[in-house]
Amino acid sequence: MTPFLTAFFSGTAQGAIYALVSLGLVLVWRSAGVVNFAQMGQAMFTTYIASQLIQNNYSYWSAFLIALISGAALGALVDLGLMRPLTSRKNSQLLNSQSMRTTIPVIASLGILGVLKALAGIFWAGEERGFPSPVAPNAIKIGDTSLAITGFDLFVIGTVFLTLVLTTIFFTKTGMGLAMRASALNPEVTRLSGIKVGSVRTLGWAISGIASSLAGLLVTPRTNLSPNTLDLLLIIGFTAAVVGGLSSLAGSVLGGFILGYVISFVNVYSAPENVFIAILAFLLLALFLRPQGILGSKEVRSV
Amino acid sequence: MLAITNLVTQFASIKALDSISFQAKPGLITTVIGANGAGKSTLLRTISGLERPSSGSITWFDEELTHKSVEAIVRSGISQVPEGHAVISQLSVAENIELGGLFRKRIARGDLTIATKEVYELFPILFERRNEPAGSLSGGERQMLAISRALVSRPKLLLLDEPSLGLAPLIAAQIISIINELCRSTGLTVLLVEQNANTALAVADHGILLALGKVVADLPAKEMAADSSLRAAYLGY
Ligand SMILES: Nc1ncnc2c1ncn2[C@@H]1O[C@H](COP(=O)(O)OP(=O)(O)O)[C@@H](O)[C@H]1O
Ligand SMILES: [Mg+2]
């Protein structure tokens, strides 16, 4: 197979994972206005839970489902246990400037990342382990040529598209989705409309927790699982989210795939050590050319 | 009846509301007028639960509102149109209106459809522009949208914070007259905050004059409008 096709297929498969990470980030951003740096920590932790269950002879799919539910619970817990008390009225002295209101949750999310890594160290001795994939990772063949894409890759891509479609329908077609967008855009007007903004945010954290958990389950069959393996994913996912326009779900997924291609083509045509520089260059270029993101709207960024 | 009793709301050491008391009768328009910084917005924000009073009480008929959450106050039938044409500019016109009725979607879906139809009849321009982002509306249209968002919740008490601010005189007059008609035709109770005393007193039944967080006059609107010394002393014209 030509290097071009190899790069294309592997970029698509990688991009699907980045898309999922990026989607999780955008979900919290759109519902709570927070950039959640703990996201990959949540993914790592719930994947360890799944891995533990599989060791204890649970089937893959029941472990998968429990990991997603744990992801939702962990997301909700982060909000209820930390974000909500931190941003409550009692702290109004601390939160009297806009910059503090946006900075404090970010710092708190970094704290959670640290805590989750420490807990993984305590419960699972921080050990690196493999994680199974539900679909055989054999390359797909057309005739005699095997493509640089596996059945598992197709499963990942399909899952990501399904997630995108479901979240988009939820955001644009349901009342709860409207409440979620409104809560992030203007919490005061939303509360004055009789909506429990706090609960809406918690739900946003929970949904994002599911997306993150899904990303962990789908990427670790390739990368293995350890407390730190998913760190790089956050950086790439974050870049994808910014490139796609933090406000747009579809943009974030598109951003994920674009980053998949950038990384994969640099890997194939240049050298793996240039990947980081390429990501940075790409981020700067994208910010320079389209500061509102590929599909982002201008107003959102300027608020 | 809305009853405000010895209400104090302070920001650090500044008493924005310094023990104010007054009542607003049901089915009538009570206007709160006062210069910039008098505490008018703080009063409405405290009634809606956005600011917490340090003492005093707010009751609506038999219901104590003083320590309720913002959402619970809206759900008891008290809606506010905040200062500055507060709409969510990134959402469409229709979405802004839908937002106002969302909390009762499950309990009163049928009535919500009727309420939405009513606001579109009241403001046909909003129906024409229903799929456009609210940010693309003119100032007057935004104010109409903010009022519509509040109306679809079917409030019994409507709090309006300077609805005519920043609007061309003709548009401002049109909006005030629509509020007047609403009150007269539906029995809605209105608490209308205005800096523009003439416009407000012309439609109101009762006037409350605020100065530096205190009630300095509490009179029928006609008498307040006729008292030029009050205006000279507190509004500067
Ligand atoms: N969030 C706040 N923090 C500190 N001071 C405030 C705040 N909101 C209002 N104030 C002060 O309270 C007083 C009354 O303000 P406000 O209610 O907005 O007046 P008005 O609406 O009549 O113009 C002013 O002195 C204002 O500076
Ligand atoms: Mg004001």
Side-chain angles (χ1 to χ4, degrees), chain A residues 175 181 188 191 193-195, chain B residues 45 71 75 95 103 149:
Chain A
R181 283 181 291 151
E188 192 164 292
R191 294 186 76 199
S193 304
I195 288 158
Chain B
R45 291 175 61 83
E71 308 86 63
R75 287 165 193 232
E95 283 173 331
F103 75 90
R149 184 190 54 71

Side-chain angles (χ1 to χ4, degrees), chain B residues 27 107 150 152 210 233:
Chain B
I107 46 179
V152 289
L210 274 190

Side-chain angles (χ1 to χ4, degrees), chain B residues 35 209-211 216 227-237:
Chain B
L209 181 58
L210 274 190
V216 291
D227 193 334
S228 55
S229 63
L230 265 183
R231 275 212 307 233
Y234 295 104
L235 298 170
Y237 64 91

Side-chain angles (χ1 to χ4, degrees), chain A residues 67-88:
Chain A
L68 295 189
I69 296 168
S70 317
L74 193 54
L77 189 71
V78 167
D79 185 45
L80 290 173
L82 197 68
M83 296 303 171
R84 210 188 273 195
L86 265 180
T87 51
S88 80

Side-chain angles (χ1 to χ4, degrees), chain A residues 102-119:
Chain A
T102 45
T103 314
I104 286 176
V106 170
I107 294 170
S109 78
L110 283 168
I112 296 165
L113 179 62
V115 169
L116 288 170
K117 285 187 180 189
L119 287 176

Side-chain angles (χ1 to χ4, degrees), chain A residues 89 172-176 178-179 181-183 185-186 188-197 297 299-300 303, chain B residues 45 48-52 70-71 74-75 80 82 86-91 95 98-100 102-103 105 133 149:
Chain A
R89 200 180 279 274
T172 56
K173 302 278 181 247
T174 71
M176 186 52 85
L178 172 61
R181 283 181 291 151
S183 300
L185 292 169
N186 192 332
E188 192 164 292
V189 167
T190 309
R191 294 186 76 199
L192 283 173
S193 304
I195 288 158
K196 295 174 180 151
V197 168
S297 53
E299 301 106 307
V300 177
V303 163
Chain B
R45 291 175 61 83
S48 282
L50 291 166
E51 307 293 349
R52 292 287 155 197
V70 177
E71 308 86 63
V74 175
R75 287 165 193 232
Q80 177 173 173
V87 298
I88 302 183
S89 36
Q90 298 92 339
L91 300 181
E95 283 173 331
E98 186 186 347
L99 187 67
L102 213 50
F103 75 90
K105 197 171 178 181
R149 184 190 54 71

